[in-house]
């Protein structure tokens, strides 16, 4: 949970106020350096900032206590040209800054890699996002010139994604297409709504949106199944939600009811892999197909 610290001493230095509240100057400076300190709703990374009167400091720490330190290597690059670069994203990696960490994410790691390789880092923009524990194809633009066209490709459904998923149990279907509603529940978590709720305004804000996914069973195991998934809409946690709704949550996806132990071994992450991304190149319009090798659990 975030720590909220009200202050009443205008002109005090941020590092001094935070040290007094935490009782640890080293931790205070580290939290500021990582970007986990917010003053009146704004991330602040200057320990010498003088606080305004009645400022509120909010301290954000990693929920699991771990600061990630991702590193991009040449082997992770699946595709690159003057406009785009695609990485094979590893698990346990955030793709963008979080409220508790402005440094430990893949976009920042890629900027560091390109600066070291090329002498400078271009302005990087994520074309889409993957969850922390989802691996596979992640596409990033290297020039603002293509950002608008790239966003249109994804917004208009011209980008086609294919995923591999390892789900619990043995599905009764070989292939199925499902449509439900998608939105946040009262507790803030994303959830599945019945199709007739699509378009409904939610009490907590927002509307229920359509969510469609096609699944095909690739291989049945004794107690799980390898499934290929095609999201036909782009909702947050879509594949995870739909598999859980079908009674076959992802192995390791404890957030949505998946087993945290599988075959006697802890499953520390959900088993979902962005296998393939097909789209027209935002500059030339030429077909672009990017494939990430299947992880060990999908082989």
């Amino acid at each position: 949970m975030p720590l909220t610290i009200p202050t009443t001493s205008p002109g005090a230095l941020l590092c001094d106020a935070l040290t007094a509240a935490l009782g640890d100057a080293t931790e205070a400076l580290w939290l500021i350096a990582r970007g986990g300190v917010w003053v009146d709703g704004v991330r602040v990374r200057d320990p010498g900032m003088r606080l305004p009167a009645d400022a509120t400091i909010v301290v954000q720490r990693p929920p699991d206590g771990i600061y990630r330190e991702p590193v991009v290597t040449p082997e992770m690059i699946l595709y690159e040209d003057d406009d785009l670069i695609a990485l094979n994203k590893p698990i346990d990696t955030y793709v963008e800054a979080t409220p508790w960490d402005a440094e430990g994410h893949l976009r920042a790691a890629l900027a560091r890699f390109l600066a070291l390789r090329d002498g400078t880092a271009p302005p990087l923009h994520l074309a889409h996002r993957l969850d922390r524990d989802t691996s596979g194809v992640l596409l990033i633009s290297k020039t603002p010139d293509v950002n608008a066209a790239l966003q249109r490709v994804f917004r208009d459904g011209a980008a086609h994604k294919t995923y591999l998923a390892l789900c619990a149990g043995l599905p009764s279907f070989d292939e199925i297409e499902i449509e439900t509603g998608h939105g946040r529940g009262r507790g803030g978590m994303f959830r599945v709504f019945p199709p007739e709720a699509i378009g409904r305004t939610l009490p907590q804000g927002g509307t229920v949106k359509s969510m469609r996914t096609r699944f095909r069973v690739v291989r049945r195991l004794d107690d799980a199944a390898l499934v290929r998934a095609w999201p036909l809409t782009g909702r947050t946690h879509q594949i995870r939600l739909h598999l859980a709704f079908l009674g076959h949550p992802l192995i390791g996806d404890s957030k949505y009811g998946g087993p945290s132990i599988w075959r006697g071994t802890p499953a520390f992450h959900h088993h979902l892999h962005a296998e393939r991304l097909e789209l027209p190149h935002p500059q030339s319009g030429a077909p672009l197909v990017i494939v990430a090798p299947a992880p060990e659990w999908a082989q």
Side-chain angles (χ1 to χ4, degrees):
M1 292 291 292
L3 171 65
T4 301
I5 305 167
T7 63
T8 56
S9 301
L13 297 180
L14 173 61
C15 60
D16 292 341
L18 196 56
T19 297
L22 299 177
D24 187 331
T26 300
E27 183 186 15
L29 289 171
W30 175 249
L31 288 166
I32 295 169
R34 294 296 299 215
V37 178
W38 301 70
V39 177
D40 293 338
V42 177
R43 193 194 301 266
V44 176
R45 303 185 68 184
D46 177 11
M49 173 191 176
R50 292 199 175 274
L51 296 169
D54 299 319
T56 298
I57 304 171
V58 174
V59 176
Q60 300 270 7
R61 296 183 175 94
D64 57 5
I66 299 172
Y67 285 99
R68 272 110 184 129
E69 303 290 353
V71 175
V72 170
T73 64
E75 294 74 23
M76 292 169 61
I77 300 174
L78 300 171
Y79 173 85
E80 185 175 10
D81 61 25
D82 291 340
D83 303 306
L84 305 172
I85 185 167
L87 300 180
N88 186 6
K89 176 194 172 293
I91 62 169
D92 197 30
T93 306
Y94 293 104
V95 300
E96 187 58 282
T98 60
W100 53 87
D101 193 357
E103 297 295 330
H105 56 91
L106 202 57
R107 184 175 59 79
L110 178 59
R112 292 189 289 268
F113 169 83
L114 293 174
L116 185 63
R117 188 192 70 177
D118 303 334
T120 184
L124 300 172
H125 177 80
L126 295 173
H128 59 119
R129 284 166 171 75
L130 296 175
D131 294 338
R132 184 191 73 186
D133 288 333
T134 301
S135 58
V137 180
L138 180 71
L139 184 64
I140 302 160
S141 76
K142 299 196 298 181
T143 170
D145 295 343
V146 301
N147 286 346
L150 192 57
Q151 289 168 5
R152 280 196 300 272
V153 165
F154 280 84
R155 184 188 65 228
D156 297 344
H160 303 288
K161 305 173 185 177
T162 305
Y163 288 78
L164 286 170
L166 187 66
C167 65
L170 300 177
S172 59
F173 58 85
D174 292 326
E175 186 165 351
I176 191 173
E177 184 173 318
I178 179 174
E179 180 177 20
T180 67
H182 172 277
R184 289 188 185 272
R186 294 185 182 277
M189 283 181 58
F190 290 105
R191 53 158 289 195
V192 170
F193 287 82
E196 56 269 23
I198 295 171
R200 181 187 304 168
T201 300
L202 295 168
Q204 58 273 24
T207 59
V208 178
K209 298 180 179 179
S210 171
M211 178 167 63
R212 293 187 299 125
T213 314
R214 182 161 58 93
F215 296 100
R216 180 185 299 153
V217 175
V218 176
R219 184 167 62 250
R220 288 178 172 84
L221 309 174
D222 292 338
D223 53 357
L226 181 65
V227 174
R228 189 163 272 119
W230 293 270
L232 305 178
T233 53
R235 309 303 176 206
T236 302
H237 298 175
Q238 175 167 328
I239 294 170
R240 299 167 61 186
L241 284 164
H242 266 167
L243 283 173
F245 177 75
L246 291 169
H248 301 286
L250 291 173
I251 299 294
D253 193 3
S254 56
K255 184 182 185 77
Y256 293 117
S260 57
I261 296 177
W262 186 54
R263 295 183 173 179
T265 301
F268 293 112
H269 64 89
H270 63 245
H271 287 53
L272 184 64
H273 178 71
E275 177 188 35
R276 183 182 179 97
L277 177 63
E278 303 175 57
L279 71 161
H281 194 285
Q283 193 74 280
S284 66
L288 179 59
V289 179
I290 306 168
V291 178
E296 183 178 352
W297 54 259
Q299 296 174 6

